[in-house]
Amino acid sequence: MFLSNQLVCVALVPLSARYRPVGETIERNDRWIYVSMKQNGSMTPPTNVSLEALSLAIAAGVPAVLWGSPGTGKSSAVMALAESASLSCEVVIASIREPSDFSGLPIIVDGGVRFAPPQWAKNLADQGSGVLFLDEISTAPPAVQAALLRVVLERVVGDLALPSDIAIVAAANPPDQAADGWDLSAPLANRFCHLDWGVNAQAVAAGLVAGFPKPVLPVLPVSWDKQVPLAAGLVSGFLGTRPSLVSAPPSDRSSAGRAWPSPRTWEMTIRLLAAAQAIQADVSVIRSLVLGAVGNGAGLEFLAWLESLDLPDPEAALANPAAVLFPKRGDRLYAALSGVVAAVVANLTADRWVAAWKVIALATEDAPDIGAMSARVLAQIRPEGLSAPAEAAAFVPVMRDAGMLS
């Protein structure tokens, strides 16, 4: 089934099917294991959407920030997740740090200047994996926030590049509830997936008596990133119909300090969707991740667009284009063709490449302009030694008029 259809239906998958008890043998991803909570309880509701979304963001390599009131267990949850995955957790409170703690302290070495990293960065580099937890990030002044930009995006501290397996998580109180709080700067905010953290009174009451349950370790499949091209096809299809949402930074500082759409956050959305699809995450978790990446406005519109889709299976289309009924509406057809091309990118062979040309030629016979972008991608991934099939000729004038050909 195509990704968008599964996004609508995954709520039917029982939660118990997605969890594995601690005692069972598990496979570890080459990069990460996916960490979550048991179905029967957590510090927030039994199905803790915020914690599941955070775990999935960590697994997908997307920096995440938890927003919630003081004293609600944000820090405890992050450290419990790290402990469950047997990962070291370096807690750095940004408000009591200097910019040089993130950009590096300039020192003279052999007649030149180098930027020495702090001890916490060296610890993470020596471990090879772990969690960098930036606690109380909304109390960091602008100069410290500026120094954090490269740390969060590129995982570089001074002259030290942290391993790619380092997860970056932050926790923040709303500025009006923080001690000398600040809004996050727009550049820093746009580097995170923003997740709202809530508290369920019944779960807390039960946990105070019986103890809060320890996390268990479900597995993010090693091949999860094969879902990335399919998710990219969906996002590309949506942005093709709503180009104004490709980048829409808010004008007011408060909104700019939370989630908003940009090419970077749409790329985050693609990775988050792919990881969620790989483990058949609950719809509520997917919604939290999408809204946390691109904001409520763009996110809700994207999710509504996904629900309205009724797209053919890309593999069925490649196997027999004539037997597949393609949508007539332009945005849906664009998304369907993006999915077909994404499937070919994920598993490129000469036969599949030629079949994709036949698909887009047949589907866009009356509207070749809709297939121009798909045709361009196919042209860019042409297998070595293959010539363009006859179906490609129909798209040359359209691509030339659109400036896609030099």
Side-chain angles (χ1 to χ4, degrees):
M1 186 181 294
F2 196 47
L3 178 61
S4 61
N5 293 336
Q6 292 191 18
L7 287 176
V8 178
C9 298
V10 287
L12 301 178
V13 178
L15 286 172
S16 58
R18 298 190 286 112
Y19 294 90
R20 185 174 299 177
V22 174
E24 289 190 16
T25 302
I26 64 171
E27 286 183 31
R28 284 180 176 258
N29 188 320
D30 288 339
R31 297 193 57 218
W32 279 95
I33 47 180
Y34 170 58
V35 183
S36 189
M37 298 292 285
K38 284 184 179 179
Q39 181 184 359
N40 61 354
S42 65
M43 184 159 183
T44 54
T47 54
N48 187 342
V49 173
S50 300
L51 192 55
E52 288 194 40
L54 172 63
S55 303
L56 197 49
I58 290 174
V62 174
V65 55
L66 292 176
W67 288 92
S69 299
T72 53
K74 301 184 297 297
S75 301
S76 298
V78 173
M79 290 185 281
L81 288 175
E83 182 181 357
S84 298
S86 299
L87 297 169
S88 63
C89 181
E90 290 288 336
V91 181
V92 179
I93 300 178
S95 60
I96 60 174
R97 299 281 180 162
E98 298 291 332
S100 59
D101 289 320
F102 302 104
S103 59
L105 184 68
I107 59 174
I108 297 176
V109 178
D110 297 330
V113 177
R114 297 189 60 184
F115 292 88
Q119 189 60 46
W120 61 262
K122 295 179 181 178
N123 293 342
L124 288 171
D126 290 342
Q127 291 283 341
S129 63
V131 177
L132 170 57
F133 180 32
L134 302 169
D135 204 1
E136 308 291 351
I137 196 172
S138 57
T139 62
V144 174
Q145 291 191 31
L148 277 169
L149 294 177
R150 197 176 182 205
V151 177
V152 175
L153 183 63
E154 302 176 34
R155 291 172 171 80
V156 174
V157 184
D159 288 334
L160 176 65
L162 297 177
S164 59
D165 285 348
I166 299 299
I168 297 178
V169 181
N173 302 321
D176 60 336
Q177 298 179 15
D180 195 17
W182 300 76
D183 290 309
L184 295 190
S185 67
L188 182 59
N190 199 241
R191 285 159 162 78
F192 284 105
C193 176
H194 298 252
L195 303 172
D196 291 325
W197 183 262
V199 172
N200 178 271
Q202 292 182 343
V204 172
L208 291 172
V209 175
F212 296 105
K214 294 183 179 180
V216 294
L217 307 178
V219 179
L220 185 64
V222 175
S223 60
W224 74 272
D225 54 355
K226 290 185 178 179
Q227 299 288 341
V228 169
L230 297 176
L234 286 174
V235 171
S236 174
F238 172 72
L239 295 180
T241 65
R242 292 290 281 115
S244 63
L245 293 180
V246 170
S247 181
S251 56
D252 64 290
R253 182 177 177 83
S254 177
S255 299
R258 299 297 288 265
W260 49 273
S262 72
R264 176 165 50 221
T265 55
W266 283 115
E267 185 178 6
M268 286 183 190
T269 302
I270 289 170
R271 292 184 62 82
L272 294 169
L273 284 176
Q277 173 66 12
I279 56 113
Q280 294 186 317
D282 190 83
V283 169
S284 59
V285 175
I286 295 171
R287 182 180 186 276
S288 180
L289 290 168
V290 171
L291 300 187
V294 296
N296 288 349
L300 289 172
E301 189 170 341
F302 174 61
L303 292 172
W305 182 81
L306 283 181
E307 288 189 30
S308 70
L309 295 179
D310 184 15
L311 305 181
D313 184 345
E315 296 299 334
L318 290 169
N320 187 0
V324 173
L325 182 63
F326 287 93
K328 297 296 183 183
R329 208 174 83 180
D331 61 334
R332 295 180 181 180
L333 179 57
Y334 187 98
L337 295 179
S338 296
V340 170
V341 173
V344 174
V345 171
N347 182 18
L348 180 61
T349 66
D351 290 341
R352 288 167 64 83
W353 185 76
V354 172
W357 280 108
K358 295 179 180 179
V359 169
I360 64 171
L362 181 63
T364 63
E365 187 174 5
D366 298 325
D369 56 312
I370 295 178
M373 184 59 69
S374 297
R376 182 187 184 186
V377 175
L378 286 179
Q380 292 174 338
I381 63 169
R382 177 175 62 90
E384 186 175 356
L386 281 187
S387 300
E391 290 82 359
F395 300 97
V396 172
V398 177
M399 288 192 290
R400 183 180 292 117
D401 291 344
M404 296 181 182
L405 297 178
S406 56

